[in-house]
Amino acid sequence: MAAVKYVFLAFACLGCWTQVDSHAAYRSRIPNGNQVPDPCGVATNALWQGVGHQRSSGGGPRNLFGQDFEIAHERWTIELCQADSDGDGKSNGQELGDPDCLWTEGTTPNITTGLSHPGVCEPVNSALCCGNQTWLSCASSVCGRPTPVATSVPSTGTTGSASSTFTCHGVSILVFMMIFTYIFQ
């Protein structure tokens, strides 16, 4: 019985490790994927870690860029680069520092500053953007909708979403293991 527990634990840990690694892998598939600014936290230089998701930390529903990224088989393609996923008048390539759509994975884009979010219409309070992203929740009012919940992840140079994902999955697995151990004790 002890051997079964250790095999189960090994698979559970492997599942956690794989999940943690996935967010960083997706960000590395787009130019400046680790430097996408949080349009809700411009003053604090916050980053949007879950670039393809509606939550800045990642997970949950995808934003329009995340949906387009999935359609592009989770790769940076010329079509994805030229598209304007969030409808703000700038192509995804312009927003991510690859206006000419020449970037390839593993290289540094020619432009690394002045970036914007390809999945959040900006400026968020503009007439163009207000009707397009009712899901957006910032610490301050968005389009007259008061939202007290901040969605920003501080810019620390670490992968905040990976850490929180690991914590959530780690706790879930721990609880599952405790139940499993109790049942098969």
Side-chain angles (χ1 to χ4, degrees):
M1 184 54 74
V4 171
K5 290 179 190 177
Y6 290 117
V7 169
F8 178 75
L9 178 61
F11 279 113
C13 289
L14 182 61
C16 279
W17 179 75
T18 303
Q19 180 65 32
V20 168
D21 187 50
S22 65
H23 296 290
Y26 289 139
R27 288 194 309 265
S28 70
R29 295 179 188 169
I30 59 174
N32 293 303
N34 289 316
Q35 300 302 318
V36 177
D38 181 343
C40 295
V42 173
T44 60
N45 295 322
L47 299 177
W48 195 285
Q49 300 291 339
V51 180
H53 293 274
Q54 292 181 3
R55 283 193 310 237
S56 66
S57 60
R62 290 184 179 94
N63 58 38
L64 294 173
F65 175 75
Q67 293 171 24
D68 288 348
F69 184 65
E70 182 179 29
I71 291 168
H73 304 285
E74 299 166 349
R75 297 282 178 221
W76 187 247
T77 63
I78 290 175
E79 293 79 14
L80 181 61
C81 177
Q82 292 174 343
D84 177 14
S85 296
D86 57 16
D88 61 5
K90 292 184 281 185
S91 72
N92 296 330
Q94 288 173 308
E95 297 202 67
L96 293 173
D98 184 25
D100 299 320
C101 303
L102 300 174
W103 179 82
T104 57
E105 190 172 341
T107 63
T108 301
N110 290 333
I111 300 170
T112 58
T113 60
L115 308 173
S116 55
H117 195 302
V120 178
C121 186
E122 298 173 72
V124 296
N125 284 313
S126 69
L128 175 67
C129 299
C130 280
N132 295 336
Q133 53 199 18
T134 55
W135 54 267
L136 185 62
S137 177
C138 298
S140 60
S141 174
V142 175
C143 300
R145 296 184 314 269
T147 53
V149 179
T151 60
S152 301
V153 174
S155 174
T156 61
T158 62
T159 54
S161 61
S163 299
S164 61
T165 300
F166 178 79
T167 302
C168 291
H169 288 284
V171 169
S172 298
I173 288 173
L174 180 63
V175 169
F176 183 76
M177 286 175 34
M178 289 170 55
I179 294 169
F180 182 82
T181 304
Y182 177 75
I183 291 172
F184 293 103
Q185 197 170 19

